[in-house]
Structure formats: C-alpha cells, structure tokens
Amino acid sequence: MSGTSFAARWIIAGTMVFGPVSGTFSQEDAFKSFHQLNSTAKMPKLNAFSAMPGGAPGMVAKDVIFDARLTKDGEVMQEGLVWRVFSPLAGEDGKLPLVASSEGGSAAFQLAPGDYFVNCAFGRAGVTKKLTIPEKGSVAKQTLVLDAGGFVLNAVAGSDQRIPPNQLSFSVYSAEARDNGDRALVMADVKPNTVVRLNAGTYHIVSEYGDVNAVVRADIQVEAGKLTQAVLQHRAAQITLKLVSQPGGEAIADTAWSVLTAAGDVVNESVSAFSTMVLAEGEYLAVARNKNKIYQRQFSVKSGRNTEVEVLMREPRQMAGAASDKN
C-alpha cells in the first residue's frame, strides 16, 4: 500500500459506548474514500504560477520541492494535497497574493529569492509555514507535518437499526464553547460514510435524524495518522400517522396534523393523509383536524421501533370552541 498508512479506530458514540462496530459499516468502504491510501505517486497539477512580485531584476528562481506527512514519522503523502504559495505582502484588497499552487502529492515550484507563506491543505486539515528563499545556494526539500487524521460518521436507531443515509446529516463544531455557549462551526451537512479530514484534536459532533427533534451529540477525538469510524446512537424512531374511520381502514385525505410533546409543545405540523416523521423517544399527542373536527390520540415512541399510529374518527370536537363530546 503506497501513501500514508492509517490505523483504523472504531467508536460507538452518542451514548459513548466503546466497542466494535457492526459489520454493516465496513472499514474497507470507509477507506475507499481515502484515495491516497492505495494510490501511486503522481506528478502534481500546477494550477497557477507567477514570479515573485517586486523581485529584483536578474534574480534566478530556485527549485523548491515540498512534501507532507500526516505525522512526523509517517510516510510521504502521495495524493489529496493542495499546495498554495503566497507573497507575505498584502495586495490592494488586503489579501496575500497567490504566487503558485499545485494539487496532488509532493509539489515542485520555482520561486524567486524572497519570503513566502506556504500552505498545505488536506481536506479541512492544513498547515502553513513561512519560507525564505536565499539569493545564493540551493534550497533543501521542505517537509510539512500536517498532524492530521480523519473520521467517518454514521448512526443507528436504537442498538443496531440502520438509518437510511438520506435521513441523516452531521455537523462538526469545535470542542471549545464561546462565552455565549456557541461553538464555531467547522463543517455543516456532512453526509454519512464521508471521510472528513481534520487537524488532530477534539470535535463536537451533532447528528440529526430526520428534521424534527431526533438529535444526538458526541465529542470525538481525531488522532494524527488515524481514521476513526464513529457510529452515533439515536434514541428515536420513524412514525407514520393516519386518520381512519375504523382500525386498519384507509387513511383520510386532507387531514391537518399537529404533534405535541407530553409538555404540550408542538414539534411538527403537516397536512396529508399519511404524516411520516422521525421523533425522539418519548410520549406524544397526535391531533388530527378534518372537516372542522378534531381527533386525537396519545402514543409512545420507542427507540428503533418504526411504527404506524392510527387515529380513529371518534369523539370529535368542534374547532370553534365547542365542548368535547361525551365518551
């Protein structure tokens, strides 16, 4: 295997129970996204180049070779890097001018004598180094250590029920909270089974199952040179509501739905014959409105148990302040 070797690290997060992950989320699948793991060395793609602004006439550009490693003792990375070389003198727009850039593994540039900032990015991981090119003599190879790793996120409902990928999303935040309690957003809307490359450190992960109230959080440690598989556990289930005239009957169309928590807070509203949603484990009240009549039913959501809840057209109440019908 060429490129950098990554040790796999497995976590079941959310409840922070550590142990082996179900074979459904295979290590092999996760590593396929880390192209550099099984790649061969490639020449970098030079995207842009310009002479050093303000370079003195007659200055001879020097050949400079750059490579990067995830850890100090790791292998030289062969793919997945983006190199950018900047002038340290800000332009009229207040930004540092881009002198040269390259994509791939190791990079080779010709730089005029002077000072530069060299940035190497690997996904959201990166490192910047100040480099001085002398007027005389050659320049040694420059090796940057990214001190970076990555993780692959997924989630289950209950103990082992797999969640469809289109119902899951993850957000990555910094571990440190600001004075107001907020955290800096690192990445939003991360899809499951996506390799996220980050500098080593601790990150706060928020997983959303559906779009109502099924949310779980966990802190995950990214270790340099390691790819972490993290599976968060949601205590939630998918619920489908339908209004029927008799048990097992057809769903009544044009029904307006409201779902309330045991505390009386509205968590979801919709209009349809079938109202499908993901809810966190707990007690709820389903309220159906159809043709100026209201029907309701209490129901429970059990973690990982997707179910259909029927609301019977009994005990109607008039919407306009009428008293409830007698049982």
Side-chain angles (χ1 to χ4, degrees):
M1 182 186 298
S2 63
T4 303
S5 297
F6 281 74
R9 181 169 171 266
W10 305 79
I11 297 176
I12 298 180
T15 56
M16 300 311 293
V17 177
F18 290 81
V21 176
S22 168
T24 306
F25 310 108
S26 69
Q27 176 181 345
E28 181 181 356
D29 291 343
F31 277 78
K32 286 179 181 178
S33 299
F34 243 104
H35 299 296
Q36 67 118 37
L37 292 177
N38 55 12
S39 64
T40 56
K42 296 183 179 180
M43 290 298 293
K45 175 184 176 183
L46 188 65
N47 292 335
F49 177 81
S50 62
M52 177 65 186
M59 281 189 175
V60 178
K62 304 293 181 72
D63 292 325
V64 188
I65 297 175
F66 298 89
D67 61 29
R69 305 169 188 263
L70 287 179
T71 63
K72 183 178 179 180
D73 300 324
E75 299 176 13
V76 172
M77 302 179 69
Q78 304 295 344
E79 192 170 304
L81 302 176
V82 178
W83 296 90
R84 296 183 180 89
V85 182
F86 297 91
S87 164
L89 304 177
E92 294 181 358
D93 59 358
K95 299 180 180 180
L96 300 182
L98 179 65
V99 176
S101 67
S102 173
E103 295 180 9
S106 299
F109 297 115
Q110 287 189 326
L111 300 175
D115 293 328
Y116 300 86
F117 287 118
V118 180
N119 175 264
C120 179
F122 180 57
R124 293 302 179 104
V127 62
T128 299
K129 176 181 180 179
K130 184 177 181 180
L131 176 66
T132 298
I133 305 298
E135 294 185 17
K136 297 180 180 180
S138 60
V139 182
K141 178 188 290 186
Q142 303 294 307
T143 298
L144 278 65
V145 178
L146 289 166
D147 189 31
F151 53 61
V152 178
L153 301 172
N154 215 309
V156 294
S159 59
D160 59 4
Q161 182 180 336
R162 188 167 187 177
I163 298 172
N166 62 358
Q167 292 185 297
L168 271 178
S169 67
F170 301 89
S171 297
V172 182
Y173 295 86
S174 64
E176 298 78 20
R178 303 186 180 114
D179 292 340
N180 62 1
D182 292 339
R183 302 173 189 266
L185 178 64
V186 178
M187 295 182 68
D189 196 25
V190 178
K191 300 303 180 184
N193 293 323
T194 300
V195 176
V196 179
R197 302 159 178 171
L198 295 166
N199 288 107
T202 301
Y203 296 87
H204 186 73
I205 310 301
V206 178
S207 173
E208 296 180 77
Y209 174 21
D211 55 7
V212 181
N213 65 348
V215 179
V216 67
R217 301 169 180 266
D219 288 335
I220 296 178
Q221 180 76 28
V222 173
E223 297 185 30
K226 294 185 179 181
L227 181 64
T228 299
Q229 292 271 61
V231 179
L232 284 73
Q233 294 178 319
H234 278 276
R235 300 196 64 81
Q238 180 172 287
I239 303 298
T240 298
L241 303 175
K242 68 175 185 176
L243 180 64
V244 295
S245 59
Q246 59 184 4
E250 294 293 326
I252 306 300
D254 300 323
T255 300
W257 293 96
S258 295
V259 178
L260 290 73
T261 65
D265 299 319
V266 177
V267 294
N268 190 58
E269 292 183 317
S270 62
V271 178
S272 62
F274 295 91
S275 181
T276 301
M277 71 207 75
V278 175
L279 296 173
E281 190 174 59
E283 301 295 325
Y284 295 89
L285 176 68
V287 179
R289 298 175 179 84
N290 186 274
K291 295 181 179 179
N292 295 326
K293 295 182 180 180
I294 297 177
Y295 311 90
Q296 62 185 36
R297 176 183 172 181
Q298 292 182 338
F299 66 96
S300 299
V301 175
K302 301 297 183 182
S303 179
R305 298 183 184 177
N306 298 342
T307 188
E308 189 175 84
V309 175
E310 293 183 343
V311 179
L312 294 177
M313 298 180 72
R314 296 175 180 169
E315 335 261 9
R317 295 187 305 172
Q318 297 298 326
M319 295 183 64
S324 300
D325 288 351
K326 295 181 180 179
N327 292 331

